[in-house]
Coordinates of all heavy atoms in Angstrom, one line a residue:
M19 N 247.2 119.3 -104.5 CA 247.1 118.6 -103.3 C 246.3 119.4 -102.3 O 246.5 120.6 -102.2 CB 248.5 118.3 -102.7 CG 248.4 117.6 -101.4 SD 250.0 117.0 -100.7 CE 250.8 118.6 -100.3
R20 N 245.4 118.8 -101.5 CA 244.7 119.6 -100.5 C 244.5 118.6 -99.3 O 244.6 117.4 -99.5 CB 243.4 120.2 -100.9 CG 242.3 119.2 -101.2 CD 241.1 119.8 -101.9 NE 240.1 118.8 -102.1 CZ 238.9 118.7 -101.7 NH1 238.4 119.7 -100.9 NH2 238.2 117.7 -101.9
T21 N 244.3 119.2 -98.1 CA 244.1 118.4 -97.0 C 242.8 118.7 -96.4 O 242.3 119.8 -96.7 CB 245.2 118.7 -95.9 OG1 245.1 120.1 -95.6 CG2 246.6 118.4 -96.3
A22 N 242.2 117.8 -95.7 CA 240.9 118.0 -95.1 C 240.8 117.2 -93.8 O 241.8 116.4 -93.5 CB 239.8 117.5 -96.0
R23 N 239.7 117.4 -93.1 CA 239.5 116.6 -91.9 C 238.2 115.9 -92.0 O 237.3 116.5 -92.6 CB 239.5 117.5 -90.6 CG 240.9 118.1 -90.4 CD 241.0 118.6 -88.9 NE 242.3 119.0 -88.7 CZ 242.7 120.2 -88.4 NH1 241.9 121.2 -88.4 NH2 244.0 120.5 -88.2
S24 N 238.1 114.8 -91.4 CA 236.9 114.0 -91.5 C 236.3 113.9 -90.0 O 237.0 113.7 -89.1 CB 237.2 112.6 -92.0 OG 236.1 111.7 -91.7
P25 N 235.0 114.2 -89.9 CA 234.4 114.1 -88.6 C 234.6 112.6 -88.1 O 234.6 112.4 -86.8 CB 232.9 114.3 -88.8 CG 232.7 114.6 -90.3 CD 234.0 114.5 -91.0
D26 N 234.6 111.6 -88.9 CA 234.8 110.2 -88.4 C 236.2 109.9 -88.0 O 236.4 109.0 -87.2 CB 234.5 109.2 -89.6 CG 233.0 109.3 -90.0 OD1 232.2 109.8 -89.2 OD2 232.6 109.0 -91.2
L27 N 237.2 110.7 -88.4 CA 238.5 110.4 -88.1 C 239.1 111.5 -87.2 O 240.4 111.6 -87.1 CB 239.4 110.4 -89.4 CG 238.9 109.2 -90.3 CD1 239.8 109.3 -91.6 CD2 239.2 107.9 -89.7
G28 N 238.4 112.3 -86.5 CA 238.9 113.4 -85.7 C 239.8 114.4 -86.3 O 239.5 114.9 -87.3
Q29 N 241.0 114.5 -85.8 CA 241.9 115.4 -86.3 C 242.8 114.8 -87.4 O 243.8 115.4 -87.7 CB 242.8 116.1 -85.2 CG 242.0 116.8 -84.2 CD 241.3 118.1 -84.8 OE1 242.0 118.8 -85.5 NE2 240.1 118.3 -84.5
A30 N 242.5 113.7 -87.9 CA 243.3 113.0 -88.9 C 243.5 113.9 -90.1 O 242.6 114.5 -90.5 CB 242.8 111.7 -89.2
V31 N 244.7 113.8 -90.7 CA 245.0 114.6 -91.9 C 244.7 113.6 -93.0 O 245.3 112.6 -93.2 CB 246.4 115.1 -92.0 CG1 246.7 115.8 -93.3 CG2 246.6 116.0 -90.8
I32 N 243.8 114.1 -93.9 CA 243.4 113.3 -95.1 C 244.0 114.1 -96.3 O 243.6 115.3 -96.4 CB 241.9 113.2 -95.3 CG1 241.3 112.5 -94.1 CG2 241.6 112.5 -96.6 CD1 239.9 112.6 -93.9
V33 N 244.8 113.6 -97.1 CA 245.4 114.2 -98.2 C 244.9 113.7 -99.5 O 244.8 112.5 -99.7 CB 247.0 114.0 -98.2 CG1 247.6 114.7 -99.5 CG2 247.6 114.5 -97.0
M34 N 244.4 114.7 -100.3 CA 243.8 114.3 -101.7 C 244.7 114.8 -102.7 O 245.0 116.0 -102.8 CB 242.4 114.8 -101.7 CG 241.5 114.2 -100.8 SD 239.8 115.0 -100.9 CE 239.8 115.6 -99.2
V35 N 245.1 114.0 -103.7 CA 245.9 114.4 -104.8 C 245.3 113.8 -106.0 O 245.2 112.5 -106.1 CB 247.4 113.8 -104.6 CG1 248.2 114.2 -105.8 CG2 248.0 114.3 -103.4
Q36 N 244.9 114.6 -106.9 CA 244.4 114.1 -108.2 C 243.2 113.0 -108.0 O 243.2 112.1 -108.7 CB 245.4 113.6 -109.1 CG 246.4 114.6 -109.5 CD 247.6 114.1 -110.3 OE1 247.6 112.9 -110.6 NE2 248.5 115.0 -110.8
G37 N 242.3 113.3 -107.0 CA 241.2 112.5 -106.8 C 241.5 111.2 -105.9 O 240.6 110.5 -105.6
S38 N 242.8 111.0 -105.6 CA 243.1 109.9 -104.6 C 243.2 110.4 -103.3 O 243.6 111.5 -103.0 CB 244.5 109.3 -105.1 OG 244.4 108.7 -106.4
V39 N 242.9 109.5 -102.3 CA 242.8 109.9 -100.9 C 243.9 109.1 -100.2 O 244.1 107.9 -100.4 CB 241.5 109.5 -100.2 CG1 241.5 109.8 -98.8 CG2 240.4 110.3 -100.9
F40 N 244.8 109.8 -99.4 CA 245.9 109.2 -98.6 C 245.7 109.5 -97.2 O 245.3 110.6 -96.9 CB 247.2 109.8 -99.2 CG 247.4 109.6 -100.6 CD1 247.0 110.5 -101.5 CD2 248.0 108.4 -101.1 CE1 247.2 110.3 -102.9 CE2 248.2 108.3 -102.4 CZ 247.8 109.2 -103.3
L41 N 246.1 108.6 -96.3 CA 246.0 108.7 -94.9 C 247.4 108.4 -94.4 O 248.1 107.6 -94.9 CB 245.0 107.9 -94.2 CG 243.5 108.1 -94.5 CD1 242.7 106.9 -93.8 CD2 243.1 109.4 -93.9
L42 N 247.7 109.0 -93.2 CA 248.9 108.6 -92.4 C 248.5 107.7 -91.2 O 247.5 108.0 -90.5 CB 249.6 109.9 -91.8 CG 250.2 110.8 -92.8 CD1 250.7 112.0 -92.1 CD2 251.2 110.2 -93.6
V43 N 249.1 106.5 -91.1 CA 248.7 105.5 -90.2 C 250.0 105.0 -89.5 O 251.2 105.1 -90.1 CB 247.9 104.4 -90.7 CG1 246.6 104.8 -91.3 CG2 248.7 103.5 -91.7
R44 N 249.9 104.4 -88.3 CA 251.1 103.7 -87.7 C 250.5 102.5 -87.0 O 249.3 102.5 -86.5 CB 251.8 104.6 -86.7 CG 251.1 105.1 -85.6 CD 251.9 105.9 -84.6 NE 251.0 106.5 -83.6 CZ 251.4 107.4 -82.9 NH1 252.6 108.0 -82.9 NH2 250.6 108.0 -81.9
L45 N 251.4 101.5 -86.8 CA 250.9 100.3 -86.2 C 250.7 100.6 -84.7 O 251.4 101.4 -84.1 CB 252.1 99.2 -86.3 CG 252.2 98.7 -87.8 CD1 253.4 97.8 -87.8 CD2 251.0 98.0 -88.3
L46 N 249.7 99.8 -84.1 CA 249.4 100.0 -82.7 C 250.4 99.5 -81.8 O 251.2 98.6 -82.3 CB 248.0 99.3 -82.4 CG 246.8 99.8 -83.1 CD1 245.6 98.8 -83.0 CD2 246.5 101.2 -82.5
P47 N 250.5 100.0 -80.5 CA 251.5 99.4 -79.6 C 251.3 97.9 -79.5 O 250.2 97.4 -79.4 CB 251.1 100.2 -78.3 CG 250.4 101.4 -78.7 CD 249.7 101.1 -80.0
G48 N 252.4 97.2 -79.4 CA 252.3 95.8 -79.2 C 252.5 95.0 -80.5 O 252.9 93.8 -80.5
H49 N 252.4 95.7 -81.6 CA 252.6 95.0 -82.9 C 254.0 95.1 -83.4 O 254.4 94.2 -84.1 CB 251.6 95.5 -84.0 CG 250.2 95.2 -83.7 ND1 249.7 93.9 -84.1 CD2 249.2 95.9 -83.1 CE1 248.3 93.8 -83.7 NE2 248.0 95.0 -83.1
V50 N 254.7 96.2 -83.0 CA 256.1 96.3 -83.3 C 256.7 97.1 -82.1 O 255.9 97.6 -81.3 CB 256.4 97.1 -84.6 CG1 256.0 96.4 -85.8 CG2 255.7 98.4 -84.6
G51 N 258.0 97.2 -82.0 CA 258.6 97.9 -81.0 C 258.3 99.5 -81.1 O 258.0 99.9 -82.2
E52 N 258.3 100.2 -80.0 CA 258.0 101.6 -80.1 C 258.8 102.4 -81.1 O 258.3 103.3 -81.7 CB 258.1 102.2 -78.7 CG 257.5 103.6 -78.5 CD 256.0 103.6 -78.7 OE1 255.3 102.6 -78.5 OE2 255.5 104.7 -79.1
S53 N 260.1 102.1 -81.2 CA 260.9 102.8 -82.2 C 260.7 102.5 -83.6 O 261.0 103.2 -84.5 CB 262.4 102.4 -81.9 OG 262.6 101.1 -82.2
Q54 N 259.8 101.4 -83.9 CA 259.4 101.1 -85.2 C 258.0 101.5 -85.6 O 257.5 101.3 -86.6 CB 259.5 99.5 -85.4 CG 260.9 99.0 -85.3 CD 261.0 97.6 -85.3 OE1 260.0 96.9 -85.3 NE2 262.2 97.1 -85.4
R55 N 257.3 102.3 -84.7 CA 256.0 102.8 -84.9 C 256.0 104.1 -85.7 O 255.5 105.1 -85.3 CB 255.2 102.9 -83.6 CG 254.9 101.6 -83.0 CD 254.1 101.9 -81.7 NE 252.7 102.4 -82.0 CZ 252.1 103.4 -81.5 NH1 252.7 104.0 -80.4 NH2 251.0 103.8 -81.8
T56 N 256.5 104.0 -86.9 CA 256.6 105.2 -87.7 C 255.3 105.4 -88.5 O 254.5 104.4 -88.6 CB 257.8 105.1 -88.7 OG1 257.6 103.9 -89.6 CG2 259.0 105.1 -88.1
C57 N 255.1 106.6 -89.0 CA 253.8 107.0 -89.7 C 254.0 106.5 -91.1 O 254.9 107.0 -91.8 CB 253.5 108.4 -89.6 SG 253.4 108.9 -87.9
H58 N 253.0 105.8 -91.7 CA 253.1 105.3 -93.0 C 252.1 106.0 -93.9 O 250.9 106.3 -93.3 CB 252.9 103.8 -93.1 CG 254.0 103.1 -92.4 ND1 255.2 102.8 -93.1 CD2 254.1 102.5 -91.1 CE1 256.0 102.1 -92.2 NE2 255.4 102.0 -91.0
V59 N 252.3 106.2 -95.2 CA 251.3 106.7 -96.1 C 250.7 105.5 -96.8 O 251.3 104.7 -97.4 CB 252.0 107.6 -97.2 CG1 251.0 108.1 -98.2 CG2 252.9 108.8 -96.5
I60 N 249.3 105.6 -96.7 CA 248.5 104.6 -97.4 C 247.6 105.2 -98.4 O 247.0 106.3 -98.1 CB 247.7 103.6 -96.5 CG1 246.8 104.4 -95.6 CG2 248.7 102.7 -95.7 CD1 245.8 103.5 -94.8
S61 N 247.3 104.6 -99.5 CA 246.3 105.1 -100.4 C 245.0 104.3 -100.1 O 244.9 103.1 -99.9 CB 246.6 104.7 -101.8 OG 247.9 105.2 -102.2
M62 N 243.9 105.1 -99.8 CA 242.6 104.6 -99.5 C 241.8 104.2 -100.9 O 241.8 105.0 -101.7 CB 241.8 105.5 -98.8 CG 242.2 105.7 -97.3 SD 242.3 104.2 -96.4 CE 240.5 103.8 -96.3
P63 N 241.3 103.0 -100.9 CA 240.5 102.6 -102.1 C 239.3 103.5 -102.2 O 238.7 104.0 -101.1 CB 240.2 101.1 -101.8 CG 240.4 100.9 -100.3 CD 241.4 101.9 -99.9
A64 N 238.7 103.5 -103.3 CA 237.5 104.4 -103.6 C 236.3 103.6 -103.3 O 235.3 103.6 -104.1 CB 237.6 105.0 -105.0
T65 N 236.2 103.0 -102.2 CA 235.0 102.2 -101.8 C 234.7 102.5 -100.4 O 235.5 103.2 -99.6 CB 235.2 100.7 -101.8 OG1 236.2 100.3 -100.8 CG2 235.7 100.2 -103.2
D66 N 233.5 102.3 -99.9 CA 233.0 102.5 -98.5 C 233.6 101.4 -97.6 O 233.4 101.5 -96.3 CB 231.5 102.6 -98.5 CG 231.0 103.8 -99.1 OD1 231.8 104.8 -99.3 OD2 229.8 103.8 -99.5
V67 N 234.1 100.3 -98.1 CA 234.5 99.2 -97.3 C 236.0 99.2 -97.1 O 236.8 99.2 -98.1 CB 234.1 97.9 -97.9 CG1 234.5 96.7 -97.1 CG2 232.5 97.8 -98.1
T68 N 236.4 99.1 -95.9 CA 237.9 99.0 -95.6 C 238.4 97.6 -95.9 O 237.8 96.7 -95.3 CB 238.3 99.4 -94.2 OG1 237.7 100.7 -93.9 CG2 239.8 99.5 -93.9
P69 N 239.4 97.5 -96.7 CA 239.8 96.1 -97.0 C 240.5 95.4 -95.9 O 240.8 96.1 -94.9 CB 240.8 96.3 -98.2 CG 241.1 97.7 -98.2 CD 240.1 98.5 -97.5
E70 N 240.7 94.1 -95.9 CA 241.4 93.4 -94.8 C 242.8 93.8 -94.7 O 243.3 93.8 -93.6 CB 241.3 91.9 -95.1 CG 240.0 91.2 -95.0 CD 239.5 91.3 -93.6 OE1 240.2 91.1 -92.6 OE2 238.2 91.6 -93.5
R71 N 243.5 94.3 -95.7 CA 244.9 94.7 -95.6 C 245.0 95.9 -96.6 O 244.5 96.0 -97.6 CB 245.8 93.6 -95.8 CG 245.9 93.0 -97.1 CD 246.7 91.8 -97.3 NE 246.4 90.7 -96.3 CZ 245.3 89.8 -96.4 NH1 244.6 89.9 -97.4 NH2 245.2 88.9 -95.5
L72 N 245.9 96.8 -96.1 CA 246.4 97.9 -97.0 C 247.8 97.8 -97.1 O 248.5 97.4 -96.2 CB 245.9 99.2 -96.4 CG 244.5 99.5 -96.3 CD1 244.1 100.6 -95.5 CD2 243.9 99.8 -97.8
T73 N 248.4 98.3 -98.2 CA 249.8 98.3 -98.4 C 250.3 99.8 -98.3 O 249.8 100.6 -99.2 CB 250.3 97.7 -99.7 OG1 249.8 96.4 -99.7 CG2 251.8 97.7 -99.8
A74 N 251.3 100.1 -97.5 CA 251.9 101.4 -97.4 C 252.7 101.6 -98.6 O 253.2 100.7 -99.3 CB 252.6 101.6 -96.1
H75 N 253.0 102.9 -98.9 CA 253.9 103.2 -100.0 C 255.3 102.7 -99.9 O 255.8 102.4 -101.0 CB 253.9 104.8 -100.2 CG 252.7 105.3 -100.7 ND1 252.6 106.2 -101.8 CD2 251.4 105.1 -100.3 CE1 251.4 106.5 -102.0 NE2 250.6 105.9 -101.1
C76 N 255.7 102.3 -98.7 CA 257.0 101.7 -98.5 C 256.9 100.1 -98.8 O 258.0 99.5 -98.8 CB 257.6 101.9 -97.2 SG 256.6 101.2 -95.8
G77 N 255.8 99.6 -98.9 CA 255.6 98.2 -99.2 C 255.1 97.4 -97.8 O 254.8 96.2 -98.0
L78 N 255.1 98.0 -96.7 CA 254.6 97.4 -95.5 C 253.1 97.0 -95.7 O 252.3 97.9 -96.0 CB 254.7 98.3 -94.3 CG 254.2 97.7 -93.0 CD1 255.0 96.6 -92.5 CD2 254.2 98.8 -92.0
V79 N 252.7 95.7 -95.5 CA 251.4 95.3 -95.5 C 250.8 95.6 -94.1 O 251.3 95.0 -93.1 CB 251.2 93.9 -96.0 CG1 249.7 93.4 -95.8 CG2 251.8 93.7 -97.4
I80 N 249.6 96.3 -94.0 CA 249.0 96.6 -92.7 C 247.7 95.9 -92.7 O 246.8 96.2 -93.5 CB 248.9 98.1 -92.5 CG1 250.3 98.8 -92.6 CG2 248.1 98.4 -91.3 CD1 250.2 100.3 -92.7
E81 N 247.5 95.0 -91.7 CA 246.2 94.2 -91.6 C 245.2 95.1 -90.9 O 245.6 96.0 -90.1 CB 246.5 93.0 -90.8 CG 247.5 92.0 -91.3 CD 247.0 91.3 -92.6 OE1 245.8 91.1 -92.7 OE2 247.8 90.9 -93.4
R82 N 243.9 95.0 -91.3 CA 242.9 95.7 -90.6 C 242.9 95.5 -89.1 O 243.0 94.4 -88.7 CB 241.5 95.4 -91.2 CG 240.4 96.3 -90.6 CD 239.0 96.1 -91.1 NE 238.8 95.0 -92.0 CZ 237.6 94.8 -92.5 NH1 236.6 95.4 -92.2 NH2 237.5 93.7 -93.2
G83 N 242.8 96.5 -88.3 CA 242.8 96.5 -86.8 C 244.1 96.5 -86.2 O 244.2 96.4 -85.0
T84 N 245.2 96.6 -87.0 CA 246.5 96.7 -86.4 C 247.1 98.1 -86.5 O 248.3 98.2 -86.0 CB 247.5 95.7 -87.1 OG1 247.7 96.1 -88.4 CG2 246.9 94.3 -87.0
A85 N 246.4 99.1 -87.0 CA 247.0 100.4 -87.1 C 246.0 101.4 -86.6 O 244.7 101.2 -86.5 CB 247.4 100.6 -88.5
E86 N 246.5 102.7 -86.4 CA 245.6 103.7 -86.0 C 245.9 104.8 -87.0 O 247.0 105.0 -87.5 CB 246.0 104.2 -84.6 CG 247.4 104.7 -84.4 CD 247.7 105.1 -83.0 OE1 246.8 105.0 -82.1 OE2 248.9 105.2 -82.6
V87 N 244.9 105.8 -87.2 CA 245.1 106.9 -88.1 C 245.9 107.9 -87.2 O 245.5 108.2 -86.1 CB 243.8 107.4 -88.6 CG1 244.0 108.7 -89.4 CG2 243.0 106.4 -89.4
V88 N 246.9 108.5 -87.8 CA 247.7 109.5 -87.1 C 247.1 110.9 -87.3 O 246.7 111.3 -88.4 CB 249.1 109.5 -87.7 CG1 250.0 110.5 -87.0 CG2 249.7 108.1 -87.5
E89 N 247.1 111.6 -86.2 CA 246.6 113.0 -86.2 C 247.8 113.9 -86.5 O 248.9 113.6 -86.4 CB 245.9 113.3 -84.9 CG 244.6 112.6 -84.7 CD 243.9 112.9 -83.4 OE1 244.4 113.8 -82.7 OE2 242.9 112.3 -83.1
R90 N 247.4 115.1 -86.9 CA 248.4 116.1 -87.3 C 249.4 116.3 -86.1 O 249.1 116.5 -85.0 CB 247.7 117.5 -87.5 CG 248.7 118.6 -88.0 CD 247.9 119.9 -88.2 NE 246.8 119.8 -89.2 CZ 247.0 119.9 -90.5 NH1 248.1 120.1 -91.0 NH2 246.0 119.8 -91.2
G91 N 250.8 116.2 -86.5 CA 251.8 116.5 -85.5 C 252.2 115.2 -84.8 O 253.1 115.3 -83.9
E92 N 251.6 114.1 -85.0 CA 251.9 112.9 -84.2 C 252.9 112.0 -85.1 O 252.9 111.9 -86.2 CB 250.7 112.0 -84.0 CG 249.8 112.6 -83.0 CD 248.7 111.5 -82.7 OE1 248.4 110.7 -83.5 OE2 248.0 111.7 -81.7
G93 N 253.9 111.5 -84.3 CA 254.7 110.4 -84.8 C 255.8 110.8 -85.7 O 255.8 111.9 -86.2
M94 N 256.7 109.9 -86.0 CA 257.9 110.0 -86.8 C 257.5 109.4 -88.1 O 257.0 108.3 -88.2 CB 259.0 109.3 -86.2 CG 260.3 109.5 -86.9 SD 260.7 111.3 -86.5 CE 262.4 111.3 -87.0
P95 N 257.8 110.1 -89.3 CA 257.4 109.6 -90.6 C 258.3 108.4 -91.0 O 259.5 108.4 -90.7 CB 257.6 110.8 -91.5 CG 258.6 111.7 -90.9 CD 258.4 111.5 -89.4
C96 N 257.8 107.6 -91.8 CA 258.6 106.5 -92.5 C 259.2 107.2 -93.7 O 258.5 107.7 -94.6 CB 257.6 105.4 -93.0 SG 258.4 104.2 -94.1
V97 N 260.5 107.2 -93.7 CA 261.2 107.9 -94.8 C 260.9 107.4 -96.1 O 260.7 108.0 -97.1 CB 262.7 107.8 -94.5 CG1 263.6 108.4 -95.7 CG2 263.1 108.6 -93.2
N98 N 260.8 106.0 -96.2 CA 260.6 105.3 -97.6 C 259.2 105.7 -98.0 O 259.0 105.9 -99.3 CB 260.8 103.9 -97.4 CG 262.2 103.4 -97.4 OD1 263.0 104.2 -97.9 ND2 262.4 102.4 -96.6
C99 N 258.2 105.8 -97.2 CA 256.9 106.2 -97.5 C 256.9 107.7 -98.1 O 256.2 108.0 -99.2 CB 255.8 106.2 -96.4 SG 255.2 104.5 -96.1
L100 N 257.6 108.5 -97.4 CA 257.7 109.9 -97.8 C 258.3 110.0 -99.2 O 257.9 110.8 -100.1 CB 258.5 110.8 -96.8 CG 257.8 111.0 -95.5 CD1 258.7 111.9 -94.6 CD2 256.4 111.8 -95.7
L101 N 259.4 109.2 -99.4 CA 260.1 109.3 -100.7 C 259.2 108.9 -101.9 O 259.4 109.3 -103.0 CB 261.3 108.5 -100.7 CG 262.5 109.0 -99.8 CD1 263.6 108.0 -99.7 CD2 263.0 110.3 -100.3
R102 N 258.2 108.0 -101.6 CA 257.4 107.3 -102.6 C 256.0 108.1 -102.7 O 255.2 107.7 -103.5 CB 257.2 105.9 -102.4 CG 258.4 105.1 -102.6 CD 258.3 103.7 -102.2 NE 259.4 102.9 -102.4 CZ 260.6 102.7 -101.7 NH1 260.5 103.4 -100.5 NH2 261.5 102.0 -102.0
A103 N 255.7 108.9 -101.8 CA 254.4 109.6 -101.7 C 254.3 110.6 -102.9 O 255.2 111.2 -103.3 CB 254.2 110.4 -100.4
P104 N 253.0 110.7 -103.4 CA 252.8 111.7 -104.4 C 253.0 113.1 -103.9 O 252.9 113.4 -102.8 CB 251.3 111.5 -104.8 CG 250.8 110.8 -103.7 CD 251.8 110.1 -103.0
R105 N 253.5 114.0 -104.8 CA 253.8 115.4 -104.5 C 252.8 116.4 -105.1 O 252.3 116.2 -106.1 CB 255.2 115.7 -104.9 CG 256.2 114.8 -104.2 CD 257.6 115.1 -104.7 NE 258.5 114.0 -104.5 CZ 259.0 113.6 -103.3 NH1 258.6 114.2 -102.3 NH2 259.8 112.6 -103.3

């Protein structure tokens, strides 16, 4: 596992495990209550096009435009995503 930063994503943490790319995201304010804005682990597809929806490791479906990429040290993690994330 290694982490990297992308110029396009600011200080976002990008985790790469065995050639797969993972990001931490959380829903934008207004989509859920503030206490439910946990950080979810998503697997990024190996394409240049962001799909209309991504599924977090916990099963939450995240529509394009409803989430933000989380920067290092931000937000509370989704425990179910952490339990299902690759190690």
